[in-house]
Amino acid sequence: MKKVLRLLVLLIASTNFAQEKPKLVVGIVVDQMKMEYLYRFSSDFSENGFKRLMNQGYTFHNTHYNYMPTYTAPGHASVYTGTTPSVHGIVGNEWFNKATGKEVYCTDDETVSTIGDDSVNEGKMSPRNLQSSTMTDELKLATNFKGKVIGISIKDRGAILPAGHFADWAFWYSKTGAFISSTYYGEKLPDWATQFNAEKNYLKYVTKGWDLLKPKEVYNESLTDNNPYEGKLFKKAPFMPYNLQDMYEANDAGILRSTPFGNNLLADFAKKAIENENLGKDNTTDFLAISFSSTDYVGHVLGPRSIELQDTYLRLDETIADFLLYLDKTVGKDNYLVFLTADHAGAENVTYLKDNKYKVDNINYKNIQKDLKDFSEKTYGEDVLLNYSNYNVFLDKAKIKSKGLNVQEVKQSFKDYLQKQAFIKRVYTEEEVANANANDYYLNFVSKGYDTVQNGELVVTFKPGYVEYSATGTTHGSPYTYDTHVPLIFFGWNIPKGQTHDRKEITQIAPTVTQLLQITMPNSSDGKVLLEVLNK
């Protein structure tokens, strides 16, 4: 009898211990998701996807990015490091590095090789350009590397940066239809991933094609199909249904990225990872970082008011509902913690705004670069512009000095020229960025997105509504709310039900998660947390 009682005590103790921390953390980033989509499409969502997260979890309605440029790579890095590009060093998806004079892609690494598909060169990637630790890194350290960390995305940067420096694996989608990785993580893919690729699971979505999930009258929150603000999807008119088989045969398996089914395939792969890597199966916390990228591809090409984008979100709602049910069954309802957010939001289509009498315009970055070169040659008799990209102006200081010119005076002349352009709001010099103060709201955004080693001599901000993009579709990158305002929901293990409309910043996510897990915060985080989900 005593032995039985002792066993019961031990069992109860072990059960209580299991509840001290979640068995699995799932970080979900939805690429280019505006908070407004949760409101606009709400009546068409199921009860078990986004609504389940909001109704049973804690919703932060007023969460923003606090820097520019609001791009994919800086967004993922900032969510997981709890700091901004000025510190973690990921200042764009790609950028001109003035220290080296070369273009840099955020996760490029020539020291590694592709694994998973030898026919492509899309796997020469790693997190080595990321200068700060992530919450996933800190989990690895806290568990003596026993807790597993896996990052999965259609995009390489969406998988690699969240998974951090110590990840067991990061997987991303190749144009061949395979999920690949790099030798940074291992010499070959796990057998289960190789098997998944061999099954060519992408083909079931390609052959099915893309038609509307629901009757057409449901999509009254969007503009009409094939409207003038949509671009062409792989040279096909933006009109439902799409023959994906024809697109695939004319291109490659990469076409799946620009359909909702890129998200479906990602969820399929994520389930295989959970099952075969035994995520959430013991009392050591594991972490799965998932980034749904297809929303961004669809948004860029077809815009925020397209039927296709609405359909993508209605399908993602179903995907999330199914994935939550899978977690309920495999990990247990009370054993996993989820947060859902976005890497940035997105602007309205500028042509649509113009047609409705808002005086804004599309800006072509190539025209800006050409005009800057023309100005330089006309003023100084020579081109002293090295590069214009990501709102940064890079000047050739060596050439300026060799001509006997004063660098500061040349810099000021470029600033004065830019400030006269109709689409420019403000131009900041590198000195002004370095001495940013609270009195200039948008200068603080620029400062937090600026790395003194990698960024330019001047940074420009456009007037609100002016977008550096084509006439169709949309983009992002500005410090304005249409690019900064994203969803943030915490759900699951030990998370209270509730909501707040107080303003929060995206950099509060990582220190909050690490506080929930009772582990060290990422090394560059400022430690500001979301008290609403910590005060139980």
Side-chain angles (χ1 to χ4, degrees):
M1 186 69 180
K2 288 183 179 179
K3 288 183 178 179
V4 173
L5 288 172
R6 191 178 298 114
L7 286 171
L8 284 171
V9 170
L10 289 171
L11 179 62
I12 293 169
S14 65
T15 302
N16 289 336
F17 177 76
Q19 294 175 349
E20 287 181 6
K21 293 184 180 181
K23 292 186 175 184
L24 178 65
V25 179
V26 180
I28 300 175
V29 176
V30 183
D31 208 323
Q32 202 188 120
M33 185 175 185
K34 299 155 71 82
M35 181 66 193
E36 179 250 350
Y37 294 153
L38 288 177
Y39 309 142
R40 198 200 321 166
F41 305 143
S42 176
S43 61
D44 303 320
F45 287 148
S46 71
E47 294 300 317
N48 301 315
F50 289 118
K51 284 184 178 178
R52 180 182 174 192
L53 293 175
M54 296 179 76
N55 293 337
Q56 297 180 25
Y58 200 99
T59 304
F60 296 88
H61 290 270
N62 193 19
T63 304
H64 292 264
Y65 278 86
N66 54 352
Y67 63 83
M68 68 167 284
T70 40
Y71 295 144
T72 295
H76 283 82
S78 298
V79 167
Y80 278 84
T81 62
T83 189
T84 61
S86 62
V87 181
H88 63 59
I90 305 297
V91 296
N93 295 333
E94 60 276 314
W95 60 91
F96 181 82
N97 188 320
K98 68 182 178 185
T100 62
K102 296 179 180 179
E103 293 284 341
V104 176
Y105 179 70
C106 57
T107 53
D108 266 347
D109 188 346
E110 288 298 318
T111 70
V112 300
S113 302
T114 304
I115 59 172
D117 194 329
D118 295 336
S119 69
V120 293
N121 200 34
E122 300 172 69
K124 297 173 75 65
M125 306 285 170
S126 86
R128 287 186 171 123
N129 290 326
L130 181 63
Q131 297 171 21
S132 300
S133 74
T134 60
M135 58 176 133
T136 46
D137 287 330
E138 299 301 338
L139 178 62
K140 293 294 288 186
L141 292 170
T143 61
N144 290 323
F145 288 77
K146 294 176 183 176
K148 284 190 176 180
V149 169
I150 295 177
I152 300 174
S153 179
I154 292 295
K155 295 182 180 179
D156 47 46
R157 53 190 181 268
I160 293 169
L161 297 170
H165 301 88
F166 306 139
D168 294 273
W169 285 104
F171 303 99
W172 53 98
Y173 188 65
S174 156
K175 63 184 179 182
T176 66
F179 280 92
I180 60 174
S181 191
S182 81
T183 51
Y184 180 88
Y185 303 99
E187 292 305 311
K188 68 182 186 69
L189 288 187
D191 290 342
W192 64 265
T194 300
Q195 177 62 33
F196 185 91
N197 288 339
E199 293 167 359
K200 296 188 176 181
N201 289 277
Y202 65 91
L203 286 176
K204 66 183 177 184
Y205 296 112
V206 169
T207 55
K208 182 181 178 182
W210 183 11
D211 203 352
L212 293 175
L213 176 67
K214 299 188 177 185
K216 200 161 189 175
E217 56 267 23
V218 169
Y219 296 81
N220 57 357
E221 292 88 2
S222 302
L223 299 177
T224 57
D225 207 1
N226 196 14
N227 66 69
Y229 313 111
E230 300 177 276
K232 290 185 176 181
L233 193 63
F234 297 101
K235 299 182 180 179
K236 302 293 183 180
F239 193 80
M240 289 286 193
Y242 290 95
N243 187 323
L244 300 184
Q245 186 70 43
D246 286 351
M247 290 184 183
Y248 169 61
E249 291 173 359
N251 299 277
D252 52 47
I255 63 108
L256 206 67
R257 295 175 174 127
S258 300
T259 76
F261 308 115
N263 294 333
N264 291 85
L265 186 67
L266 191 75
D268 295 342
F269 190 77
K271 290 177 185 177
K272 291 293 184 182
I274 292 171
E275 177 185 342
N276 289 279
E277 297 292 336
N278 294 313
L279 301 185
K281 295 299 184 184
D282 57 30
N283 292 332
T284 302
T285 303
D286 300 316
F287 201 119
L288 179 64
I290 307 176
S291 178
F292 290 108
S293 308
S294 292
T295 44
D296 184 69
Y297 287 105
V298 174
H300 274 298
V301 176
L302 297 160
R305 299 281 166 182
S306 65
I307 283 179
E308 289 87 346
L309 187 83
Q310 182 172 354
D311 194 65
T312 298
Y313 275 96
L314 297 189
R315 290 179 180 275
L316 179 58
D317 178 64
E318 288 198 341
T319 300
I320 289 174
D322 176 74
F323 193 69
L324 292 175
L325 183 61
Y326 176 82
L327 292 174
D328 292 343
K329 293 178 178 178
T330 57
V331 183
K333 282 187 177 181
D334 299 323
N335 291 326
Y336 66 90
L337 168 67
V338 171
F339 69 83
L340 182 145
T341 189
D343 55 346
H344 51 74
E348 291 285 355
N349 175 267
V350 174
T351 310
Y352 177 59
L353 296 180
K354 287 167 64 177
D355 287 350
N356 285 280
K357 301 181 182 180
Y358 186 2
K359 189 179 177 182
V360 290
D361 209 350
N362 293 101
I363 308 300
N364 187 325
Y365 83 94
K366 291 181 179 179
N367 291 342
I368 297 176
Q369 180 147 312
K370 180 181 180 299
D371 291 345
L372 286 170
K373 287 185 175 182
D374 290 345
F375 167 77
S376 179
E377 290 171 353
K378 181 179 179 181
T379 307
Y380 300 109
E382 195 167 357
D383 179 14
V384 298
L385 178 74
L386 281 177
N387 182 273
Y388 169 77
S389 56
N390 294 345
Y391 307 103
N392 279 246
V393 177
F394 297 85
L395 299 175
D396 191 334
K397 291 182 178 180
K399 186 182 287 187
I400 291 169
K401 291 176 182 178
S402 71
K403 290 181 67 67
L405 299 170
N406 182 283
V407 172
Q408 291 301 115
E409 291 177 359
V410 172
K411 192 187 305 182
Q412 186 63 43
S413 71
F414 272 84
K415 177 180 177 177
D416 293 342
Y417 168 77
L418 284 164
Q419 199 69 68
K420 294 175 184 176
Q421 308 309 305
F423 58 91
I424 295 291
K425 183 66 176 179
R426 289 288 301 272
V427 183
Y428 299 104
T429 66
E430 56 189 322
E431 291 82 10
E432 289 171 321
V433 174
N435 295 291
N437 62 73
N439 294 326
D440 192 326
Y441 181 73
Y442 291 113
L443 176 54
N444 279 284
F445 276 71
V446 172
S447 177
K448 289 176 180 177
Y450 186 95
D451 185 317
T452 55
V453 175
Q454 301 182 104
N455 284 96
E457 282 71 41
L458 298 170
V459 181
V460 302
T461 58
F462 293 175
K463 291 178 181 176
Y466 284 81
V467 173
E468 199 173 66
Y469 204 61
S470 61
T472 57
T474 193
T475 194
H476 46 86
S478 82
Y480 299 115
T481 53
Y482 49 78
D483 284 337
T484 66
H485 189 193
V486 295
L488 176 58
I489 309 169
F490 277 76
F491 170 87
W493 176 86
N494 272 8
I495 298 299
K497 297 178 184 179
Q499 61 180 319
T500 181
H501 293 270
D502 290 344
R503 182 186 170 96
K504 306 296 181 182
E505 294 183 338
I506 209 75
T507 48
Q508 293 177 267
I509 295 174
T512 300
V513 172
T514 54
Q515 287 280 281
L516 285 166
L517 299 181
Q518 297 180 351
I519 63 175
T520 303
M521 292 183 182
N523 58 17
S524 301
S525 167
D526 64 9
K528 293 180 181 177
V529 298
L530 300 163
L531 293 174
E532 292 86 348
V533 295
L534 292 170
N535 292 338
K536 294 180 282 291

